[in-house]
């Protein structure tokens, strides 16, 4: 008789399934990966993943939630651990952004190149997206705190985020040389100090 699975056993298998699915989704595109393929890669029966997830979209959402949570945690830690003013904290968050994106390319692509209906909802995925988005607002918050109009601060924040995202995406694609995203962040920092 087989032993009953503990909560830890279940969590371990779900994490393993998400690890495998993340790589497959990133390499092939989420639409091109079936639950049957994920099961085969794990060496389990085709029905086993259905014990944990109702659909491929649920697996994709779980992978993205994990990514957004890790991403937000890394940015929050960098921001809170950095002494100094809002500019120093925002620069630390920018470095953490690049560290995460460049070290977790598959996850980063799935987080920002996929969109699911729940991204803007109050679901677990929606809350993870909102948390990550809030970590990207630290620069705008600092500008508002120093007296800049909110609309202008948020527009500048979006410009900086778009620039960083573009620099990361180009570097991950091999279009720009390694280190170019960090050079872009340094230039943004220098330009921001003059503003």
């Amino acid at each position: 008789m087989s032993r009953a699975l503990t909560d830890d056993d279940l969590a371990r298998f779900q994490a393993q399934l998400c690890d495998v699915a993340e790589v497959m989704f990133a390499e092939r595109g989420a639409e091109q990966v079936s639950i049957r393929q994920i099961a085969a890669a794990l060496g389990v029966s085709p029905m086993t993943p259905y014990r944990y997830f109702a659909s491929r979209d649920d697996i994709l959402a779980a992978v993205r939630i994990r990514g957004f949570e890790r991403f937000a945690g890394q940015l929050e830690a960098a921001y809170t651990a950095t002494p100094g003013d809002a500019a120093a904290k925002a620069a630390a968050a920018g470095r953490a952004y690049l560290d995460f994106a460049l070290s977790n390319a598959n996850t980063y692509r799935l987080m920002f190149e996929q969109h699911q209906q729940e991204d803007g909802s109050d679901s677990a995925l929606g809350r993870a997206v909102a948390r990550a988005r809030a970590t990207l607002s630290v620069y705008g918050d600092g500008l508002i705190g120093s007296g800049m109009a909110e609309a202008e601060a948020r527009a500048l924040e979006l410009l900086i985020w778009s620039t960083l995202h573009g620099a990361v995406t180009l570097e991950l694609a091999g279009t720009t040389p390694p280190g170019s995203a960090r050079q872009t962040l340094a230039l943004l920092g220098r330009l921001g100090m003059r503003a």
Side-chain angles (χ1 to χ4, degrees), residues 69-83 88-89 92-97 131 135 138:
E69 292 292 338
R70 286 192 343 251
F71 175 75
Q74 201 164 318
L75 269 65
E76 290 163 355
Y79 187 82
T80 56
T82 302
K89 290 177 175 293
R95 288 187 298 276
Y97 183 108
R131 178 181 173 202
T135 64
V138 296

Side-chain angles (χ1 to χ4, degrees), residues 13 17 20-21 24-25 28-60:
F13 182 78
L17 187 149
V20 168
M24 293 176 77
F25 289 153
R28 302 178 193 176
E31 307 79 27
Q32 304 304 316
V33 177
S34 68
I35 290 184
R36 180 177 292 276
Q37 291 168 326
I38 294 169
L42 286 165
V44 298
S45 80
M47 295 309 292
T48 299
Y50 287 104
R51 294 181 192 156
Y52 304 90
F53 298 99
S55 68
R56 182 196 61 205
D57 284 346
D58 286 350
I59 296 171
L60 177 60

Side-chain angles (χ1 to χ4, degrees), residues 82-105:
T82 302
D85 61 7
K89 290 177 175 293
R95 288 187 298 276
Y97 183 108
L98 293 182
D99 290 345
F100 180 89
L102 297 172
S103 298
N104 300 278

